[in-house]
Amino acid sequence: MSNTIGNNLLHQSLLYPTVLEHQGRINSPTCIGGNTFFQAQATSLTQKSSISTEFLGNRLKVRRHKLKMGKCCSSSRSTRAVLAADLSSGLTEKFNLYQNVELQVDVELPPSGSTSVVNIQVTSGIDSLLLHWGAIKSHTKKWILPHHRPVGTMVYMDQALRSPFEKSGSNAVLRIEIDDPSIQALEFLVFDEAQNKWYKYNGGNFRVKLPKRESRFPNVSIPEELVQVQAYLRWERNGKQNYSPEKEKEEFEAARRELLEEISRGASIQDLRTKLTGKKDTSESKEQLVSGSKSSIPEDLVQIQSFIRWERAGKPNYSPEQQLKEFEEARKELQVELDKGASLDEIRKRITKGGTQAKVSKQPEKKNYSTGERIQRKKRDIMSLLSKFDSVPVEEKISSEPPVLSAIKQFAMEKEDHIDGPIVNKKIYKLADKELLVLVAKSSGKTKVYLATDLPEPVVLHWALSKIPGEWTAPPSTMLPLDSVSLDKAAETKLAIISTDNQPDKVQSLEITIEDDSFVGMPFVLLSGEKWLKNGGSDFYVELNTGSVKKKDAGDGKGTSKSLLDKIADLESEAQKSFMHRFNIAADLMEQATNAGELGLAAIVVWMRYMATRQLIWNKNYNVKPREISQAQDRLTDLLQNVYKSSPQYREILRMIMSTVGRGGEGDVGQRIRDEILVIQRNNECKGGMMEEWHQKLHNNTSPDDVVICQALIDYIKNDFDISVYWKTLNDNGINKERLLSYDRAIHSEPNFRREQRDGLLRDLGHYMRTLKAVHSGADLESAIANCMGYRAEGQGFMVGVNINPVSGLPSGFPELLQFVLTHIEDKQVESLLEGLLEAREELRPSLSRPSDRLKDLIFLDIALDSAVRTAVERGYEELNNASPEKIMYFISLVVENLALSVDNNEDLIYCLKGWNQALSMKKSGDGNWALFAKSVLDRTRLSLTSKSESYNQLLQPSAEYLGAQLGVDQSAVSIFTEEIIRAGSAASLSSLLNRLDPVLRQTANLGSWQVISPIEAIGYVVVVDQLLSVQNNSYSKPTILVAKSVRGEEEIPDGVVAVLTPDMPDVLSHVSVRARNSKVCFATCFDPNILASIQANEGKLLCLKPTSADVVYSEMTDDELLSSTNSKDVSSTPSLTLVKKKFAGKYAISSEEFTNDMVGAKSRNIANLKGKLPSWVNIPTSVALPFGVFETVLSDDLNKDVASKLDILKRDLDEGNVSALGEIRNTVLELSAPPQLIKELKEKMQKSGMPWPGDEGAQRWEQAWIAIKKVWASKWNERAYFSTRKVKLDHDYLCMAVLVQEIINADYAFVIHTTNPSSEDSSEIYAEVVKGLGETLVGAYPGRALSFICKKSDLNSPQVLGYPSKPIGLFIKQSIIFRSDSNGEDLEGYAGAGLYDSVPMDEEDKVVLDYSSDALINDSKFRHEILSSIARAGSAIEELYGSAQDIEGVVKDGKIYVVQTRPQM
C-alpha cells in the first residue's frame, strides 16, 4: 500500500491545522502546521483579530453528563473537610477513611513561593486507589482542571481529574504541585477502582485550602513572541495534544508565568531570548528589537504578516529560532510601510480583508528521516512486562438429558431421517415466537423443497422460481402442488396441517418437487391469516444448489461453552443478513460469553474469525446503511473494551476478537462511507460503470471487501491504468470475479477511467480509504494511529464532517514516535523500524492498563503495531541472509519482546528474552560458550512457542470443530483453525528466525545434527508417529524404527522397536533414555529438520542405522539383507525373568539398620549401605521404610474387608483384558484405612531416626502422609508399569512394593550421575545432568534439557559443560517427607524397571518458571566449577565403593552435596 495515505493521515492526526481565512471570518479557528507562533495571543486579539486564540488543533466537543456518585462538583458542600494552609509553614491534617486506614494531607510551600505542593498519603497497600479531584478558583464552585498534573493522570469526562496513587512501602502516596496562583483550593474524593468504592468526608468532598501567595513577579512585560515560543515548547513536552480554546489560554498564561518566574530569579529578557533560541543576539537583532519596541505596531498585525510570509515561503516547518526570526522580519516589513507613510488602519485593512486570501490547502511536508536514522530506546526493567494470571478454566457441564425440541425441529429431524439423498440446504427462521423450516434435498435426480411452520393461522405460500438469483419467475404448471393457483410471476399454495402424536403444537407443511436443474433458487413470502410475513423486510430466498451441507457430527461439545455455541448456531441465519445483525447479536451474547469465562470468549473468537475469513455469509437479502454497521461495531467494541478493563485475565483472547472486528464508530464515520462515494463520483465525473455498481454495493451493505476494492482501484490507477494490477490486488486478498458477482448488488464491470481523472481519483480514493478503514480495519496501522492522534474530515454539501479528538494522556513524544514508524514502515532494512514499533508498544503499554473511555482505540493501535512487527520481520528475512549471528539474535530478541507484549501469562517468554540479552552480552564480551548458551535459550524459546500453541489448540480447537460442524464450515478451514491463528501472529515469525539461527549455533558450538542417547546399531522398517506415548503399548511384528515427533521422557519403548528417532529433547538420563539403553534400542535426537524429513520420507522402507557418539549414518537395505544380517533379532523373544514373592516379616516399619534383601528393595539397601563409607562432605539423608508385605497385610485387615473384595473383582476384570480397570484399582487402593499398629510403629521408627512425625502437626498432616503412602502402593497398577511387566512376562501378583521414607531436602539443584558416559560408553569419564529444584523435572515428563557435563575421572576438577539448561519449569517444596517406591522388580538384570513406579511427596511441589539470568550456576563460573566438580567427585567415590558403574541421584543445598539413591548403571 502506498505510504502517501499514511503521510496524510499522520499530519492530520499529529499536526492538524484549522483553516485561516482573512475574509472577515471573525474568530475562525486557526493554526499553522505546528508553528504556533503565528497564533494570536489569548488576551489581546480575541476581539480585534480574525485569528483565533486556539493554540493547536481542534476545538473539543464536550459532552455534558450528569455526575454519578463521586463526581465532586455535585457533592454537598455543607460538610467537607477543610484544611487551611498557612503561608509561612506547611500543615498536616489526618482523617480516618475506614477501620485503620488513614488519609494524611500535607501542604507545603517551597521557599520560592511559586508552587504549592500537596502531599496525600493513604495508609493502605491497596493498588487500585485513585484521587478524583479538581481545583477551585475565586467566585466559582465549578472545578477547573490544572494543567500541571501527576504522572498517569486521566481526564474524567472533561469534569474532573483522576490520578493514581503510587505504592510507597505499605502506603499509597500522591504528590500534586499547583503553580497557578489563582487556584485557591483543591477538592477531592478517594476512589477504590477495584472495589468501585468511594471515600468521602461526611458525604461530601475533602477540601484543601492553598496558601495565599503574593505575586513575586516583577512588573516586566515579556515579549509576546517569547511567550509564544515558550508555549510551543510546553506543547511539545505535553505530546503535541489538540487543545480547546480554554486550554490554550491556560497554556499561554502558564508559559507567561514560567518566564516571569525566571525573571523573578534574576534572568533578563536577553537571557530568556538566548535560552529559547539557543543563540545570543547579534547587534543587528538588538537594533531590530529596539526598532520594534519603539514602533507601536500591534502584535496581532505582526502575527498576520508572519502568516503571510509563511504562506509565501511554502508553509515550511519552522524551528523556534526561525519563528523568532520570522516575527522580526514581519515586524521590519510593517515598519517599512509605516516609514513610507502608511497608517496602521490602512495596513490592517489591507492584510485582513483584500490584500491576501490565505487558505491552508496542503499539510507541510513531514520531517524526512534518513534511512540510517534510529530511535533511542529507553532502558526498562524487563520484568515490568510481566503479565501473570492464575488460569481457572470454566468447563461447561454438559447435561445428559436430551434437549426438548420444538415442533418444527422435531419435524425436521424426522424428515431428515426419511430422506434418502443429500440435504443441500436447511434453514429454520424465527417468526416471533414461532418457526419456519425450509429443507432442500436431492432425491432420485430431483430437487425437493420441504416447508413447515407452527404458525396457528392458515398459511399460504406465495412463491416463485429463479434462474438468476433473486428473480421472480412463475413455476411451470407441471411443478405446482395440488390446489395451487398460478399467478403472473408467482404461484400460491396452501400449507397442509399434519397431525403428530408426540407434539402438542400443530404443524403446517408443504412439499414441492422441482425437476428442472436450471432453477437456482426459490423466492417466497407467507400469508398467515391476513398478514404478509417476510424475512426482516425482505423476501425469503432459498438456494437450491448449494452443495451438500449434511452436517458432520458436532460431537458432545466437551471442552467448549456448548450452550453458547448452540445459541450462536441458532442465530446464524439471522446474523448472516448483514454485519449490523452479526455485530449486534455478538454484543447481545457478550454477557453470557464473559460469564462463561475463557470458553465463552473462545466461542466468540471462533464465530468472529469464521466470519472474518469469509467462511460465513456476510450479507443476504438485507439492505443496511454503513452508519448502522459502524454503530453496531461500536456497540460491540465498547463491550469488549469494558471486559478488557474489568477482566484483565482475558485480555489476550479479547485482542483476538477485536482483531477480527473493525473499530466501528459513531454514526458520522459510517455515514461518510455512503456519502463520500457520491462526492468521488461527482468530483471526478465517473458516475457510471464499475463506480456506480460499487456505489450501489456500498449503499446496500458495505463490508471489509470494500477496503480491498478501494486499494485495487488505487493500484490500478498508479500503475498506468493496468487492469491486471486491479485483478492482482483483488485476487491476492481473496476476491475473485465470482465473489464480486455474489454481492446483493453485484459488481459486473471493470474500472475504466480517463487519464485526466488520475490525480483527482488518487486524492479522493486515498481519503476514502481512511474512511473505509476507520470502520472496517481496526487493526490497520494508519487508521489506528489516526483514531488515536485525532483527525478531522470536513463535510462537503450534504456530506457530514467527522471530528475525531485525540486520545488524552498519551506519553510525551509519542506522536513523534508514531511519525517515525510511519516514515519507515516500508523500509527494506527493517531493524530501525522494528525498534520503533517495539518502543511505541512499550510506551503505549501503561495506557492499556489505565481506565479510559477511548481504551479501545489504544487497543486497536497496539494490535496494529503488533501486526506491523510481524510484517516487518517477514520483509526483513532477506536482510538476514548473510547476517551475523548477533544480528539474528537481536532480531529474535525484538520478536520475543513483541510476543511478550501481546500475550497473557508471559513469564516464560520474559525469561527467554532475558536469556537472549544475556547471549548477546556473552557474544560481545568474547565468552567462548556463547553459542552453547544461546542454543539452550533457543531450545527454551521453541518450547515456549510449543506451549503457547498447545494452549491455543486446547482453548480454541474444540469450539472451532463444534461450531464448524453446526454451521457447515468447510472441514479444511476447521482442521487448521488454530494453526492459522498462530500463523497470523508473530509466533510464526519467531519460529522462522529460530530455524534460521539453529544450524549456525550448532556449527559454532560443535554440536552436530544429532545427540545420540543410546548408540546401538539397528535395522528396521520406518514408522512415523506423532507421539511415542500414543504407541507405547503397541507391539510391532517386524523390527521397527520409530520416528516420533514428541517424546516426553517417561514413556515405554514398544515391543518390536529397535530405534527411536525424534526432534524432541528428552534428557540423556530421563527414564525413557535409560530404558532405551537397557533394552539395547537405538535412541537419538535429530536437530536438523531436513535430515529428519529425509528419514521420514523413507516411511515403510527398511533402513540400517549406524550411530556414533555424535552422528547417525543411515542407509537403505533390502529384505534379504535383513534376513542375513546378524543385527536382526527375533522381535518376539523376550528375556526370561522371574520374581520372588516377598512375605510380611511382622514389622510395619523398620529403620535403615534393618534393611535386608527380604525386607526392602535395592533402592533402600543401597542408600543404607552408603552411610559412613563416603567422604564427610557427601551427605546421606536419614531413611526408614515400610517393608515388603505391609500393603498386603493392610489389605487383609478387617478394617479393609470391603476394599479387598472390591479389589478382587477389579483384578479379575483386569485379568480378563479390561485395562480400564487399572484406574479403578488405583482409586480403590486409596480407600484403605491404616491399622493403628502401622501408625504406632512408623511413628516410633521415624522419631528414633530423628525424622519429624507428620502427626505432630495435626491429624490432617498424618492423613496427607497416609495418602502419599497409598499412592506409592497404587502405582503398582499404573499403565506404564503394568504393560512393562506384561511384556517381559513377569507375574504381576508377585511384584511387591516397599516404601522408602526420607526427609525431603529443599534442594537448590538436583542431579543424576552415570559414572560411565552412556552416550559414548566411555568408562573413563563421568556424565551428569543438573536441574534447578527437585529432580523430578530431570527424570520425568518435563520438557527441556538439563545442564549437562562430563568429567574425566583422571581430572575430577575439570568438568566440561556440554549443554546449558533449557527447562522452563523447576519444582520446589518446603521441608517435607517423601515416600519412594522400592519394588522387587526395579533392578532385575536385563530389565529396565527403574522409574516405573511413583515416589510421592507428602506436600505438593510448587511449579516455578525459571529465570536462568539470575542463576549462579549459569553466571558464576567459579561457583559452577565448584558444584560440578563436587558432583563428579561424589560419583567417583560411590563407584569406587561399589566397584561398578553407578546410576546416582542427589541434590545440592547451600553448596552441600546430598546423595538420595544409587543403583548399578545399566
Side-chain angles (χ1 to χ4, degrees), residues 161-443:
L161 299 175
R162 283 191 173 178
S163 302
F165 283 81
E166 295 180 354
K167 288 292 293 293
S168 178
S170 60
N171 298 329
V173 299
L174 182 62
R175 176 184 174 91
I176 299 176
E177 296 181 358
I178 301 297
D179 59 3
D180 185 348
S182 65
I183 292 177
Q184 297 182 348
L186 299 185
E187 288 189 357
F188 64 87
L189 296 153
V190 178
F191 179 48
D192 184 344
E193 188 178 25
Q195 301 295 324
N196 194 28
K197 186 174 182 180
W198 293 88
Y199 298 105
K200 302 183 178 183
Y201 183 77
N202 293 335
N205 302 334
F206 292 94
R207 182 182 177 96
V208 179
K209 285 186 177 179
L210 300 182
K212 293 181 180 179
R213 290 169 285 179
E214 297 297 329
S215 175
R216 295 173 178 261
F217 299 150
N219 188 16
V220 175
S221 175
I222 304 292
E224 290 299 324
E225 66 267 23
L226 296 186
V227 177
Q228 191 82 39
V229 175
Q230 182 69 7
Y232 176 86
L233 296 175
R234 286 175 58 81
W235 173 71
E236 279 194 323
R237 288 198 301 267
N238 292 333
K240 299 185 177 180
Q241 302 175 23
N242 283 357
Y243 289 149
S244 66
E246 182 178 318
K247 178 64 174 173
E248 290 177 17
K249 293 177 184 178
E250 289 182 16
E251 283 295 309
F252 270 105
E253 292 312 308
R256 192 186 308 279
R257 284 196 303 275
E258 287 178 348
L259 297 179
L260 285 171
E261 285 174 9
E262 295 197 42
I263 293 291
S264 70
R265 292 194 288 268
S268 66
I269 296 292
Q270 181 59 49
D271 293 336
L272 295 181
R273 190 178 301 278
T274 301
K275 175 185 175 182
L276 293 174
T277 64
K279 289 184 179 181
K280 294 182 179 180
D281 278 354
T282 62
S283 58
E284 179 184 354
S285 63
K286 289 179 182 177
E287 289 173 6
Q288 292 171 358
L289 283 172
V290 172
S291 171
S293 62
K294 285 181 180 178
S295 72
S296 56
I297 301 174
E299 288 296 326
D300 65 323
L301 294 184
V302 178
Q303 293 264 351
I304 297 173
Q305 184 66 16
S306 300
F307 176 87
I308 294 169
R309 287 177 53 82
W310 174 75
E311 275 203 326
R312 286 202 301 257
K315 303 179 183 178
N317 273 340
Y318 283 149
S319 66
E321 179 187 348
Q322 289 171 312
Q323 292 180 26
L324 281 177
K325 185 175 179 181
E326 281 297 307
F327 266 113
E328 295 310 320
E329 290 299 323
R331 193 187 304 276
K332 283 172 63 177
E333 289 180 351
L334 296 178
Q335 187 63 47
V336 169
E337 291 196 51
L338 286 174
D339 292 344
K340 291 180 178 179
S343 68
L344 287 175
D345 287 341
E346 290 172 337
I347 293 175
R348 183 181 299 278
K349 183 176 180 181
R350 178 183 64 79
I351 69 175
T352 61
K353 290 197 174 180
T356 304
Q357 295 181 4
K359 289 184 181 179
V360 177
S361 54
K362 287 187 179 180
Q363 297 291 341
E365 289 297 320
K366 65 181 176 181
K367 182 178 176 183
N368 182 23
Y369 292 86
S370 65
T371 55
E373 184 177 10
R374 302 177 76 145
I375 56 108
Q376 185 66 39
R377 295 208 62 186
K378 293 180 182 178
K379 291 186 177 179
R380 297 179 177 85
D381 179 8
I382 292 176
M383 294 309 298
S384 67
L385 299 179
L386 182 63
S387 173
K388 190 175 181 181
F389 302 100
D390 292 330
S391 178
V392 185
V394 180
E395 182 144 345
E396 189 171 71
K397 292 182 179 179
I398 308 299
S399 173
S400 58
E401 297 181 6
V404 177
L405 297 178
S406 67
I408 293 305
K409 288 178 180 172
Q410 180 69 33
F411 175 90
M413 188 171 69
E414 293 172 357
K415 184 63 67 176
E416 287 180 62
D417 289 341
H418 291 89
I419 294 173
D420 57 0
I423 295 171
V424 296
N425 203 344
K426 176 185 175 182
K427 287 283 167 41
I428 295 180
Y429 297 95
K430 293 288 184 182
L431 304 175
D433 61 338
K434 301 301 181 181
E435 294 178 320
L436 167 67
L437 166 72
V438 182
L439 194 65
V440 181
K442 298 289 186 182
S443 179

Side-chain angles (χ1 to χ4, degrees), residues 1357-1403:
N1357 286 320
S1358 300
Q1360 178 188 345
V1361 174
L1362 298 180
Y1364 285 93
S1366 61
K1367 287 186 180 291
I1369 297 295
L1371 298 178
F1372 296 85
I1373 198 169
K1374 64 181 182 181
Q1375 204 71 21
S1376 186
I1377 304 293
I1378 189 168
F1379 301 89
R1380 298 183 185 274
S1381 60
D1382 190 24
S1383 75
N1384 61 341
E1386 290 186 47
D1387 295 296
L1388 299 173
E1389 186 174 351
Y1391 172 58
L1396 288 175
Y1397 308 101
D1398 296 341
S1399 295
V1400 184
M1402 194 172 81
D1403 299 285

Side-chain angles (χ1 to χ4, degrees), residues 453-483:
T453 181
D454 56 351
L455 287 166
E457 299 287 335
V459 175
V460 175
L461 179 73
H462 184 88
W463 61 289
L465 292 174
S466 306
K467 292 188 176 181
I468 298 174
E471 74 171 357
W472 282 70
T473 302
S477 59
T478 56
M479 296 184 190
L480 295 178
L482 289 175
D483 300 325

Side-chain angles (χ1 to χ4, degrees), residues 1140-1309:
V1140 177
K1141 190 167 186 176
K1142 303 292 184 178
K1143 297 180 180 180
F1144 180 58
K1147 294 183 179 182
Y1148 282 102
I1150 57 176
S1151 63
S1152 60
E1153 291 78 13
E1154 301 172 89
F1155 290 177
T1156 66
N1157 185 52
D1158 291 329
M1159 303 283 275
V1160 294
K1163 187 183 294 182
S1164 300
R1165 299 196 308 274
N1166 289 342
I1167 200 69
N1169 189 48
L1170 292 176
K1171 275 198 168 183
K1173 299 176 182 178
L1174 293 176
S1176 59
W1177 53 269
V1178 180
N1179 301 277
I1180 307 297
T1182 303
S1183 305
V1184 300
L1186 282 73
F1188 292 138
V1190 171
F1191 166 70
E1192 290 77 8
T1193 303
V1194 170
L1195 184 62
S1196 63
D1197 194 285
D1198 288 345
L1199 282 170
N1200 297 302
K1201 280 184 179 179
D1202 292 342
V1203 176
S1205 298
K1206 190 174 177 181
L1207 273 179
D1208 283 341
I1209 295 171
L1210 289 170
K1211 285 197 280 187
R1212 282 198 295 273
D1213 283 352
L1214 182 62
D1215 292 340
E1216 291 171 4
N1218 180 15
V1219 294
S1220 64
L1222 287 168
E1224 294 182 64
I1225 291 174
R1226 293 196 299 272
N1227 290 331
T1228 303
V1229 170
L1230 298 182
E1231 297 174 11
L1232 289 169
S1233 298
Q1237 187 62 26
L1238 182 151
I1239 300 173
K1240 179 176 178 292
E1241 290 186 27
L1242 183 58
K1243 179 179 179 180
E1244 288 175 355
K1245 292 297 181 182
M1246 289 181 71
Q1247 289 180 333
K1248 284 183 180 179
S1249 299
M1251 298 172 68
W1253 169 245
D1256 289 343
E1257 302 176 50
Q1260 183 182 359
R1261 292 292 287 164
W1262 159 246
E1263 186 59 30
Q1264 283 181 255
W1266 177 235
I1267 290 172
I1269 291 168
K1270 291 186 289 185
K1271 285 182 176 178
V1272 175
W1273 286 336
S1275 70
K1276 172 181 174 179
W1277 286 277
N1278 72 47
E1279 283 78 4
R1280 195 173 69 246
Y1282 177 77
F1283 288 116
S1284 178
T1285 55
R1286 197 171 69 170
K1287 285 174 188 175
V1288 295
K1289 297 181 173 59
L1290 282 174
D1291 190 332
H1292 196 257
D1293 287 337
Y1294 276 39
L1295 187 87
C1296 295
M1297 186 75 72
V1299 180
L1300 176 63
V1301 184
Q1302 292 179 323
E1303 217 175 332
I1304 287 184
I1305 297 146
N1306 186 12
D1308 300 322
Y1309 306 98

